[in-house]
Amino acid sequence: MEKLNPFEIAQRQLDKCAKTLKLDPGVHAILRVPTRELHVSLPVHMDDGTTRVFQGFRIQYNDARGPTKGGIRFHPEETVDTVRALSAWMTWKCSLLDLPLGGAKGGIICNPREMSENELQRLSRAYINQVWQFIGPGKDIPAPDVYTTSQTMAWMMDEYSKIAGQTQFGVITGKPLNMGGSAGRGDATARGGLYTIREAAREHGIDLKEATVAIQGYGNAGYHAARLCRSLFNSRVVAVSDSKGGIFNGEGLDPEAIREHKTETGSVINMPNTKSVSNEEILELDVDVLIPAAMENVITEKNAPGVRARIVAELANGPSTPEADDILHKNHVHVIPDFLCNAGGVTVSYFEMVQNFYMYYWDEKEIHERLDKKMTDAFHSVLNTSKKHDINMREAAYVVAVKRVVDAMKLRGWI
Ligand code: GLU
């Protein structure tokens, strides 16, 4: 995979939008960089008796519209520029969904697959010990992201609550259900993405009952997307992959059986009754819907001409480069851009915060209905803007989101 800098990409995307919106250069300069960055060193006692120091970050990009919000990633290849890019995308995501929140992101450079449960718990608590002054229900509210789970959130909430001297459910979202979590948070990212796929399919006259789907990535978002493609649309998921490789069966795959196989063997590969496909091949399969649900920069100028899907639904953050975007647009591929497509996670996180403040919890049906409305409204505001200005869906999403942030900065008297 090419090593592209996600933050440079995020800045280039914003630069394009600044032109369309004719942004004042000073305002543009504010929006190009994060407001606040915290870099922390985290000493952790390992099970073998040694001490290791991990590097972590929390980056708050812009809080004009409200307290900042965004996940924490545990990843061996985490970089500060990836976290910067992700914090920018969180700002645009919360704005696009019209949530009263700004954007942030956190990350720790570590390999959770090589760490024990106890080591992960100590690392999670060490992180809160270093960042607690900068987060809080009215300041900055973290959540899960790549390789962090509801268990990670429970440890972090507990550590923060100990420091605060009282239970503080509102400091973090994506918590377990009986620990201040929200119904429907587990599959919210995938479910929200599927609502946007439904709207895109309607727009292009695609019958999802007859549609085939390929999914790159089989983590939380990828698995739930596969499951829901079947249960909500009755579509045929013909290929899925993870970091080790992919599998294909033209008759359709069984998402639950794949999940079991992955739990047992550590990967989707070598699943009985499937052919193997590579992570590159999966992007170029002849399917109706392609869902990149893993990492950044997987669709580039090299493989974009080979994408045959009619809809590319970006459940991952930053899966396409700007060059790829232009090619896909020219080839009439409908791209549902990341910070629209994967906004279901933060939207239900926001519902979780509301329920925490309220001390009253909604049932799953209510969450699904509210999520559907938020996602559908956001999709159509992007689609209408794209038609009005004759720009692609990503540029349109930027126009809607950035304009709201600029308006908030004006109202606050910052510009
Ligand atoms: N990490 C998720 C995202 O990238 C969710 C963030 C949140 O819930 O705050 O949108």
Side-chain angles (χ1 to χ4, degrees):
M1 203 196 299
E2 265 179 272
K3 278 279 166 214
L4 296 164
N5 182 332
F7 186 48
E8 278 170 27
I9 291 178
Q11 288 184 317
R12 278 168 58 197
Q13 291 168 342
L14 175 74
D15 295 346
K16 230 184 199 176
C17 169
K19 269 196 199 138
T20 315
L21 281 177
K22 297 192 179 60
L23 278 192
D24 168 82
V27 174
H28 182 190
I30 297 174
L31 296 177
R32 271 192 117 238
V33 286
T35 303
R36 193 176 298 110
E37 288 194 359
L38 189 59
H39 295 216
V40 291
S41 301
L42 309 168
V44 175
H45 282 297
M46 306 303 280
D47 293 346
D48 65 5
T50 59
T51 298
R52 272 185 63 191
V53 180
F54 294 88
Q55 229 194 326
F57 312 100
R58 185 69 188 169
I59 300 186
Q60 296 164 350
Y61 199 83
N62 184 297
D63 62 357
R65 286 177 46 85
T68 54
K69 180 95 193 78
I72 299 171
R73 315 204 314 170
F74 285 1
H75 202 272
E77 277 148 46
E78 194 64 283
T79 68
V80 67
D81 272 341
T82 312
V83 183
R84 285 186 181 124
L86 290 160
S87 68
W89 290 327
M90 281 312 303
T91 307
W92 314 137
K93 192 183 304 189
C94 292
S95 172
L96 181 62
L97 271 286
D98 210 2
L99 310 179
L101 297 165
K105 204 81 178 195
I108 301 179
I109 306 172
C110 67
N111 190 347
R113 287 175 186 214
E114 288 170 3
M115 294 173 70
S116 71
E117 187 86 349
N118 281 330
E119 288 168 343
L120 286 169
Q121 175 165 181
R122 289 195 286 270
L123 179 65
S124 304
R125 292 187 187 274
Y127 183 77
I128 294 302
N129 273 296
Q130 293 307 320
V131 306
W132 69 270
Q133 280 160 306
F134 295 82
I135 62 171
K139 284 191 210 172
D140 180 14
I141 306 95
D145 203 275
V146 175
Y147 293 149
T148 50
T149 61
S150 57
Q151 175 64 77
T152 325
M153 300 305 114
W155 291 325
M156 291 185 171
M157 187 279 293
D158 182 68
E159 193 64 24
Y160 184 87
S161 297
K162 280 186 190 160
I163 297 167
Q166 54 182 235
T167 293
Q168 290 276 337
F169 281 153
V171 70
I172 208 158
T173 60
K175 300 180 293 297
L177 252 187
N178 66 350
M179 187 61 61
S182 172
R185 178 64 183 86
D187 69 9
T189 305
R191 184 177 290 273
L194 261 71
Y195 293 146
T196 66
I197 293 173
R198 180 195 64 204
E199 295 306 301
R202 251 181 218 157
E203 171 70 15
H204 295 282
I206 297 169
D207 180 2
L208 285 171
K209 281 200 293 300
E210 304 294 322
T212 51
V213 182
I215 304 175
Q216 190 204 38
Y218 213 68
N220 179 56
Y223 155 68
H224 284 299
R227 183 178 65 78
L228 292 170
C229 275
R230 260 189 146 192
S231 64
L232 293 183
F233 303 151
N234 217 1
S235 305
R236 205 158 17 112
V237 179
V238 295
V240 301
S241 70
D242 62 25
S243 56
K244 301 211 173 103
I247 51 174
F248 174 89
N249 182 337
E251 302 293 308
L253 298 164
D254 175 355
E256 300 302 339
I258 299 169
R259 179 143 126 143
E260 274 165 35
H261 176 79
K262 187 172 159 96
T263 311
E264 273 163 32
T265 67
S267 172
V268 301
I269 58 172
N270 300 324
M271 172 88 192
N273 300 323
T274 62
K275 279 199 308 207
S276 60
V277 285
S278 69
N279 258 304
E280 290 75 40
E281 284 163 347
I282 204 166
L283 299 170
E284 301 187 24
L285 288 177
D286 189 7
V287 289
D288 299 295
V289 182
L290 171 65
I291 307 184
M295 299 301 281
E296 309 85 43
N297 299 328
V298 292
I299 307 181
T300 66
E301 60 197 313
K302 292 213 184 86
N303 57 12
V307 170
R308 285 189 276 174
R310 297 164 74 193
I311 296 174
V312 172
E314 297 183 338
L315 272 190
N317 285 307
S320 313
T321 66
E323 291 77 16
D325 258 350
D326 291 340
I327 297 166
L328 295 176
H329 186 58
K330 222 183 292 145
N331 291 348
H332 305 290
V333 179
H334 183 104
V335 176
I336 309 174
D338 52 0
F339 69 83
L340 168 61
C341 190
N342 68 29
V346 73
T347 301
V348 176
S349 271
Y350 163 65
F351 296 159
E352 183 174 329
M353 287 173 66
V354 172
Q355 295 168 85
N356 289 156
F357 291 141
Y358 228 43
M359 287 286 269
Y360 181 79
Y361 290 80
W362 302 329
D363 63 17
E364 197 168 53
K365 185 168 166 279
E366 175 133 28
I367 299 279
H368 291 170
E369 282 166 10
R370 288 178 188 267
L371 176 64
D372 194 347
K373 177 158 182 3
K374 275 279 184 205
M375 297 302 299
T376 304
D377 287 354
F379 178 89
H380 287 286
S381 65
V382 174
L383 184 67
N384 293 341
T385 305
S386 117
K387 286 181 180 163
K388 186 168 148 208
H389 294 283
D390 192 23
I391 51 181
N392 71 35
M393 288 285 284
R394 189 180 323 277
E395 288 160 10
Y398 264 93
V399 165
V400 177
V402 171
K403 195 175 169 315
R404 286 191 190 140
V405 174
V406 171
D407 288 347
M409 296 203 302
K410 270 191 200 136
L411 286 167
R412 279 178 179 252
W414 293 358
I415 50 175

